Amino acid sequence: MYAITIPEPGGPEALVWDEVPDPVAGPGEVLVEVVAGAVNRADILQRQGFYDPPPGASPHPGLECSGRIAALGDGVSGWAVGDEVCALLAGGGYAEKVAVPAGQLLPVPQGLTVDQAAALPEVVCTVWSNVFMVAHLRPGETLLVHGGSSGIGTMAIQLAKAVGARVAVTAGTTEKLERCAELGADILVNYREQDFVAELRKATDGAGADVILDNMGAKYLDRNVQALAVNGRLAVIGMQGGTKGELDIGALLAKRAAISATSLRARPLEEKAAIVAAVREHVWPLVAGGRVRPVIDREIPMPDASTAHRVVEESGHIGKVLLVTPA
């Protein structure tokens, strides 16, 4: 088969479409013929040499894909060859085939094409596990999403609105904020021109956000704590703004607030399977009913993954950028 390889870490040009050995479905796994994958920030870090795959995972980038089951490993039940699926991966989505633990498979939701479904697994599992399973967002609460126009952000807006929460977002352009508003965002903050702490306090009568979903890390740590409501929960899922920040414990104690930091890729299989099962139970009916949809900016042929990485690195997109395997 062919897959995107990274002979040497570097810029987008480091991604090479090359012939590699076919994967084999081991016990408890299925082999998926990939129709599409999607670009995530973690893929960019891997390409740059900063985020190696966990032990035993595919060396090729790609944390989610969609396609059709080509083979079943020993002990797999509930799936059949030919089923249309999407999958949460530890790696290997930028390829024509990938072996996937059966617990990380999801059926293609009703109303979506196979390629569209590639935009779902990583973002839905990230949002559901952090905002709902860890931070326990409830109806009537306020969620602040940094990077509201990203793949994570566009999904977080829709899921929060679906459960009856109020949503605030930050984004860097009017166009991106307008798209967030179309998805249901109530409070719009241009982070290039406005202070999100002040804007959030103004919009919530001084209360702040009950839950914050943060992709920036160190750069926003202090202001995120300022923006939290009493009993607020800050969920950190990225470090685009650095890894080391100063935390005012006194401010955190005064608000009886909590900070969590999680990632999906290196979690044990049973934890990933539990998240995937929760997503299938709670989110898939919303997708099938049309209340939640993936936001797809564009589809790019997988051999041209370097172009897709440039688009994402430049933040010149809204939602997800997909990679489609050659016919």
Side-chain angles (χ1 to χ4, degrees):
M1 72 167 187
Y2 278 82
I4 290 292
T5 64
I6 310 172
E8 294 290 339
E13 68 282 352
L15 301 174
V16 179
W17 184 246
D18 200 1
E19 194 165 7
V20 299
D22 283 21
V24 176
E29 295 182 335
V30 304
L31 184 67
V32 175
E33 289 186 348
V34 176
V35 171
V39 179
N40 291 282
R41 292 280 176 181
D43 304 331
I44 293 171
L45 290 174
Q46 180 175 339
R47 188 204 74 219
Q48 295 170 335
F50 300 132
Y51 193 20
D52 291 335
S58 168
H60 312 303
L63 300 183
E64 57 193 337
C65 74
S66 61
R68 298 176 181 88
I69 294 179
L72 303 176
D74 291 342
V76 174
S77 61
W79 301 98
V81 171
D83 284 351
E84 294 184 341
V85 296
C86 55
L88 179 70
L89 308 172
Y94 291 22
E96 292 180 320
K97 298 176 184 177
V98 64
V100 186
Q104 292 166 218
L105 283 181
L106 288 157
V108 170
Q110 180 183 342
L112 294 187
T113 62
V114 180
D115 56 329
Q116 290 173 329
L120 289 174
E122 175 73 13
V123 295
V124 176
C125 288
T126 296
V127 172
W128 191 262
S129 62
N130 282 280
V131 175
F132 298 95
M133 296 175 73
V134 174
H136 302 291
L137 181 71
R138 294 182 287 268
E141 291 190 325
T142 297
L143 169 68
L144 169 61
V145 182
H146 290 301
S149 63
S150 66
I152 293 287
T154 53
M155 182 55 61
I157 293 168
Q158 295 179 78
L159 288 176
K161 295 302 291 185
V163 302
R166 189 181 188 193
V167 181
V169 298
T170 63
T173 70
T174 299
E175 178 190 4
K176 290 182 176 182
L177 289 172
E178 288 174 348
R179 188 70 180 101
C180 292
E182 291 171 5
L183 293 170
D186 305 283
I187 304 164
L188 310 174
V189 182
N190 186 324
Y191 67 80
R192 299 182 193 278
E193 302 173 357
Q194 298 170 293
D195 175 13
F196 70 81
V197 177
E199 295 300 319
L200 192 63
R201 286 175 175 168
K202 187 189 307 181
T204 59
D205 296 325
D210 300 288
V211 176
I212 298 176
L213 185 63
D214 175 59
N215 61 352
M216 293 301 292
K219 183 177 180 179
Y220 278 8
L221 180 59
D222 179 63
R223 285 193 290 160
N224 277 333
V225 172
Q226 294 177 40
L228 281 174
V230 173
N231 296 315
R233 291 86 73 194
L234 168 61
V236 181
I237 60 169
M239 45 192 179
Q240 293 179 41
T243 60
K244 295 182 180 180
E246 187 169 306
L247 176 63
D248 185 342
I249 299 295
L252 201 65
L253 285 169
K255 293 186 174 183
R256 301 186 297 279
I259 300 175
S260 63
T262 71
S263 65
L264 270 175
R265 190 177 198 181
R267 287 193 185 205
L269 296 184
E270 59 271 19
E271 290 187 19
K272 291 183 183 178
I275 292 169
V276 168
V279 162
R280 185 169 183 175
E281 177 184 357
H282 297 287
V283 181
W284 253 223
L286 298 174
V287 178
R291 297 181 64 190
V292 171
R293 309 291 286 185
V295 176
I296 298 170
D297 186 275
R298 69 193 76 182
E299 296 184 359
I300 293 174
M302 192 173 288
D304 195 18
S306 58
T307 295
H309 272 224
R310 288 187 180 95
V311 170
V312 173
E313 283 188 273
E314 294 168 1
S315 295
H317 65 295
I318 294 174
K320 299 287 287 189
V321 175
L322 301 188
L323 295 171
V324 181
T325 54

